[in-house]
Amino acid sequence: MAGSDWRRLDESDVHVRPGRGSRPRSKLRPEHADATAAMVVAVDRGRWTCAVDADPDRLVTAMRARELGRTPIVVGDRVGVVGDVSGKPDTLARIVRVEDRSSLLRRTADDTDPYERIVVANAEQLLIVTALADPPPRTGFIDRCLVACYAGGLQPVLCLTKADLASPDELLARYAELAVPTLVTRHDEEVREVVETVRGRVSALVGHSGVGKSTLVNRLVPDAFLATGAVSAVGKGRHTSVAAVALPLPGGGWVIDTPGVRSFGLAHITADDIVSAFPEFTEAAEECPPGCGHLGPPEDPDCMLDEVPEQRRLPSLRRLLASRAGLET
Ligand SMILES: Nc1nc2c(ncn2[C@@H]2O[C@H](COP(=O)(O)OP(=O)(O)OP(=O)(O)O)[C@@H](O)[C@H]2O)c(=O)[nH]1
Ligand SMILES: [Mg+2]
Ligand SMILES: [Zn+2]
């Protein structure tokens, strides 16, 4: 198709774009039916690096087509690209479509921050990477990541690193009721269990700076060579990794390394979002007084969750609810 035809068709897109649903939209836009399917693997200052589905080694640099406006496009997004998709140096393609997301990991800087950041799209599981020491584990952070997983449709996996420095027993006990799959790693032992867990799937890693995310990714993707940093720099505002990046796994699937974060704000998540991840309590929650935070007495004395016969997971659920509410537990 000639260049001028592309321009004319792009013009019409502006009028027919019906909103979020990508399926009906692509029907209305047959001109993009031949867009190349790809996944966003990195984002840097208005340029998206996309791996072509049919040939994942081919990395295409693309801009966002004007018709998409300011639609956020993040690592993990499935996109359609047109134009020069050869992936050759100095070529620039255009992202014309962002597919509906199967999951969405979002956070805010803190609990009052209205500005939501999308960490990653379409990840099937989230490895919540926590060092057993250096830096010391913070359970509040883990709880918050669990909440973000339940709300965003990701399977959480607790990944405890640096087992050479401290025992994982206490943390393992704390999360036993939630049945969160757990991995324990140390630099002087093989990471076979992690390899099994991520094989063939899309997995993102999050955690504080210095917990060993990039170290782990380098072990999973032998030719990744991600920079890793000294923990002594942690807390001084130095983060070794500065942007999310998706890397293809040798056995299929993707791992997405992310920069360390200090906190995981949950301003965008409601108490009911969290309860919905606990099916045995969802019906009772509907009977609660309006605006119930489901924390139980004294905050929510009339909360109906206390009436549910199966109470085993209630303490864990309430801990997550308290963590969202900014209450220390
Ligand atoms: N003792 C010990 N040190 C480890 C282990 N895993 C990683 N480290 C060290 O921890 C430090 C930080 O590791 P990184 O992989 O850079 O941490 P990160 O989570 O990617 O940090 P950011 O990119 O800043 O978010 C490095 O010096 C690693 O060598 C481990 O199992 N045991
Ligand atoms: Mg890193
Ligand atoms: Zn309630």
Side-chain angles (χ1 to χ4, degrees):
M1 194 182 282
S4 58
D5 288 334
W6 279 118
R7 199 168 311 128
R8 180 175 55 78
L9 291 165
D10 280 352
E11 227 82 290
S12 70
D13 288 345
V14 178
H15 304 289
V16 295
R17 187 166 165 247
R20 257 180 58 85
S22 63
R23 210 143 296 179
R25 198 197 309 171
S26 44
K27 218 187 233 169
L28 286 167
R29 303 197 306 169
E31 61 277 15
H32 287 156
D34 59 345
T36 301
M39 186 182 100
V40 174
V41 298
V43 184
D44 185 26
R45 283 165 297 177
R47 291 286 181 270
W48 286 260
T49 307
C50 309
V52 173
D53 286 359
D55 176 14
D57 288 332
R58 185 170 12 133
L59 295 179
V60 175
T61 304
M63 57 180 280
R64 177 172 50 197
R66 201 191 304 161
E67 73 221 48
L68 292 180
R70 299 176 69 90
T71 307
I73 307 176
V74 301
V75 170
D77 262 326
R78 322 283 330 182
V79 294
V81 285
V82 301
D84 190 337
V85 295
S86 66
K88 296 201 178 101
D90 300 322
T91 58
L92 187 62
R94 249 167 48 245
I95 298 174
V96 291
R97 183 164 69 231
V98 183
E99 305 295 349
D100 283 349
R101 294 162 175 152
S102 58
S103 78
L104 196 53
L105 183 67
R106 295 175 298 170
R107 71 177 190 98
T108 53
D110 61 53
D111 288 335
T112 55
D113 179 8
Y115 180 67
E116 230 176 68
R117 303 136 209 263
I118 303 176
V119 184
V120 53
N122 299 323
E124 296 167 78
Q125 54 188 7
L126 182 71
L127 270 58
I128 304 167
V129 186
T130 305
L132 290 159
D134 193 23
R138 278 171 44 201
T139 52
F141 181 84
I142 301 173
D143 290 345
R144 292 168 152 270
C145 290
L146 289 173
V147 168
C149 281
Y150 296 140
L154 296 87
Q155 163 72 52
V157 178
L158 186 56
C159 185
L160 305 175
T161 60
K162 310 197 189 187
D164 52 306
L165 301 179
S167 160
D169 296 347
E170 204 181 309
L171 276 178
L172 292 178
R174 185 177 163 105
Y175 292 98
E177 283 303 355
L178 287 174
V180 179
T182 311
L183 304 164
V184 180
T185 69
R186 48 191 292 168
H187 64 76
D188 52 357
E189 274 178 19
E190 280 188 54
V191 288
R192 206 174 313 132
E193 264 193 298
V194 185
V195 172
E196 295 298 326
T197 304
V198 299
R199 175 175 297 138
R201 315 183 69 189
V202 180
S203 310
L205 285 76
V206 297
H208 293 312
S209 189
V211 295
K213 296 179 295 298
S214 301
T215 302
L216 201 52
V217 170
N218 283 339
R219 297 181 74 183
L220 298 171
V221 186
D223 54 358
F225 305 117
L226 294 177
T228 60
V231 177
S232 58
V234 175
K236 293 175 187 162
R238 185 171 165 275
H239 293 238
T240 305
S241 306
V242 292
V245 59
L247 298 159
L249 288 160
W254 295 84
V255 278
I256 303 173
D257 190 24
T258 68
V261 291
R262 210 166 295 215
S263 63
F264 215 98
L266 301 174
H268 57 294
I269 289 171
T270 68
D272 287 322
D273 287 335
I274 303 173
V275 175
S276 66
F278 292 74
E280 69 269 37
F281 295 107
T282 47
E283 215 170 293
E286 286 167 23
E287 307 299 320
C288 285
C292 184
H294 310 307
L295 292 168
E299 286 88 356
D300 303 299
D302 300 318
C303 181
M304 295 302 286
L305 302 195
D306 293 284
E307 310 301 319
V308 173
E310 174 52 71
Q311 294 275 305
R312 196 175 43 90
R313 299 203 297 170
L314 187 56
S316 297
L317 169 56
R318 287 245 163 98
R319 205 178 66 222
L320 300 182
L321 288 162
S323 132
R324 184 204 67 101
L327 303 170
E328 282 299 321
T329 48

